Amino acid sequence: MSKQTTELTNLDPRIKQFQSDIRAKFAVENKSIKKGQIVFVGSSLMEIFPIEKMQKEKKLGLEKIIYNRGIRATTTADLLAHIDLQIFDLKPSKIFINIGSNDIGFNVPENTYLSNYDEIFRQIKEKLPNTEVYALAYYPMNAVYNFGEEKHEHASMFATRSNDDFAKMSEKVAALAQKHNYQFINVNANLADENGNLRPELTFDGVHMLPAGYEIVLKNLMKYL
């Protein structure tokens, strides 16, 4: 399987500028952070996880500091392109990854996406052989509730995303994690309703969660932190 070695070029210029700005911010922060800590990495679903704020305010009792290196609209190819900035520069002792939902949403071919994910794991294994790695299952979504968006916005959001697709890809990510002796974890308990959809009170658009949703995820994550 060949890797997708180039990043997507058809993103909204405003998003690309935001990505550039946040990467510049991370580059500065990485010079002074404490190494050997915990890193959360991924796309917007990780970026908006207020885990750093939660750790400060909730006094989680952890020995390690959590650094969030999520960036919106990130694909597996993007993470490969910036893996030093988002992972290796921090020399973490634990990594929690939630990446690939944009690959699915942007119609990146499955073999390319999985090859990229495999390469991410391979590089981590090579450069950080003693680091614990946890790949997260994809969160459930809610494509049936009306969140106030325009019909075309709703159609665009869910045209290439579904809970079934995410469940199937989660299984394949789990297999990749097992291949590299990493852990695959499902921290989605209590996020979905009786029909398997993300509970509407936990999301503002059916995909991205509100802090209340991340409170649940954090509770489910604690035993791994």
Side-chain angles (χ1 to χ4, degrees):
M1 292 185 291
S2 61
K3 297 185 296 294
Q4 181 192 5
T5 55
T6 58
E7 300 164 85
L8 294 171
T9 58
N10 59 345
L11 286 178
D12 185 317
R14 294 169 296 181
I15 295 178
K16 295 186 72 172
Q17 183 61 55
F18 180 90
Q19 290 177 327
S20 178
D21 290 345
I22 198 168
R23 286 174 185 141
K25 172 176 173 286
F26 288 161
V28 172
E29 291 177 353
N30 286 355
K31 294 177 181 178
S32 59
I33 66 161
K34 188 175 181 180
K35 307 296 195 242
Q37 306 304 298
I38 301 171
V39 169
F40 281 30
V41 65
S43 59
S44 58
L45 296 175
M46 194 64 92
E47 178 197 335
I48 64 175
F49 193 156
I51 188 60
E52 294 180 358
K53 181 180 179 181
M54 287 175 168
Q55 185 175 29
K56 290 178 181 177
E57 294 181 351
K58 293 181 179 296
K59 300 184 176 14
L60 302 178
L62 303 177
E63 295 181 359
K64 303 288 187 179
I65 301 168
I66 301 173
Y67 296 109
N68 191 333
R69 290 297 180 264
I71 301 175
R72 70 190 58 180
T74 292
T75 63
T76 53
D78 295 322
L79 181 54
L80 275 174
H82 301 280
I83 199 167
D84 288 340
L85 176 72
Q86 291 179 259
I87 294 179
F88 296 135
D89 289 351
L90 293 87
K91 296 182 171 61
S93 60
K94 290 185 179 183
I95 303 170
F96 292 83
I97 301 178
N98 187 339
I99 193 71
S101 56
N102 284 324
D103 294 73
I104 298 169
F106 297 157
N107 276 325
V108 174
E110 180 181 309
N111 65 331
T112 299
Y113 153 60
L114 291 174
S115 179
N116 288 344
Y117 217 136
D118 190 43
E119 177 65 11
I120 290 166
F121 285 153
R122 189 199 66 78
Q123 289 191 24
I124 294 173
K125 181 70 71 175
E126 177 184 344
K127 297 182 180 181
L128 299 171
N130 298 317
T131 294
E132 297 177 26
V133 177
Y134 301 85
L136 274 63
Y138 299 119
Y139 302 134
M141 303 182 305
N142 190 321
V144 299
Y145 191 84
N146 183 356
F147 294 96
E149 71 271 31
E150 297 291 337
K151 286 185 177 180
H152 73 277
E153 293 175 330
H154 182 93
S156 176
M157 176 76 78
F158 297 104
T160 55
R161 296 174 172 92
S162 74
N163 283 326
D164 285 344
D165 288 339
F166 279 9
K168 290 174 183 176
M169 294 310 295
S170 285
E171 291 178 359
K172 295 181 180 181
V173 171
L176 283 178
Q178 183 178 32
K179 170 185 173 182
H180 293 274
N181 294 316
Y182 291 148
Q183 288 198 56
F184 175 83
I185 54 177
N186 187 329
V187 293
N188 297 345
N190 299 317
L191 290 179
D193 62 20
E194 63 275 11
N195 296 314
N197 296 309
L198 181 60
R199 289 160 49 194
E201 69 271 22
L202 300 179
T203 175
F204 57 86
D205 63 0
V207 174
H208 300 90
M209 285 190 289
L210 295 162
Y214 286 109
E215 293 277 359
I216 295 173
V217 173
L218 175 59
K219 182 179 179 180
N220 296 335
L221 266 175
M222 280 302 300
K223 64 181 178 181
Y224 303 101
L225 296 174

